[in-house]
Amino acid sequence: MALLNILRYPDPRLHTVAKPVEAVDDRIRQLVDDMLQTMYDAEGVGLAATQVDVHERVIVMDTTEQRDHPIVLVNPELVEKSAEMKVSEEGCLSVPQVYDKVERHARVKVRAMGRDGEWFEMECEGLAAVCVQHEMDHLMGRVFVEYLSLLKRDRIKTKMLKKSREEQRA
Ligand code: GNR
Ligand code: NI
């Protein structure tokens, strides 16, 4: 297992559209294991392969308090979305220390392959529903700040660039 580097907004690579995984083989299982380790280390509830500069449709998540229920989604598709929408506060490991409100479907049903390559379906609500939609956006090259106003996004970009310059100097 290995800790992977998480790309930071506004890195243009975060806007790459991920390709479907052709087969859940040893390479994908290694990626999944490294992503899980990276997500737990960063204390995130989810991580998309896009964030670690791998542009294939792979997501890991764990929305449990105990951090003991890893979920792997390979080639995920939303098969149902509730008409009901819900606004909640989101954050992102690629946009550290920025939190803002985003409107998403309140409930979704996702179909994906697990680490074993078997297809399964999962109904999500609450944080899990938010997380699945947030991660599937990453696979499409979309970061949650793109739902915010241009003004907010520009401020976030400036703040992130300033922060990475400061980190480089340190
Ligand atoms: O750790 C994370 N927390 C979070 C909180 C509210 C809504 C979405 C998220 S996902 C985020 C991890 C991450 O950046 N995944 O892409
Ligand atoms: Ni994110």
Side-chain angles (χ1 to χ4, degrees), residues 153-168:
R153 214 182 321 146
D154 278 342
R155 283 182 181 154
I156 292 165
K157 262 185 210 163
T158 305
K159 180 174 157 179
M160 291 297 128
L161 291 169
K162 180 165 177 274
K163 211 149 82 100
S164 69
R165 275 198 306 271
E166 281 168 1
E167 282 171 7
Q168 266 180 340

Side-chain angles (χ1 to χ4, degrees), residues 12-20 48-51 54-59 76-78 104 132-144 146-147:
R13 291 171 289 182
L14 284 169
H15 304 303
T16 312
V17 177
K19 293 190 180 70
T50 309
Q51 292 176 279
V54 175
H55 303 287
E56 298 182 64
R57 296 183 59 82
V58 176
I59 289 168
E77 299 295 341
L78 288 186
R104 306 271 189 190
V132 162
Q133 292 171 83
H134 174 115
E135 304 313 337
M136 289 186 65
D137 270 356
H138 275 303
L139 298 182
M140 295 304 295
R142 193 179 305 124
V143 179
F144 87 100
E146 291 172 69
Y147 291 107

Side-chain angles (χ1 to χ4, degrees), residues 35-49:
M35 284 174 63
L36 280 167
Q37 194 193 1
T38 304
M39 176 188 78
Y40 284 122
D41 179 78
E43 297 181 8
V45 297
L47 188 70

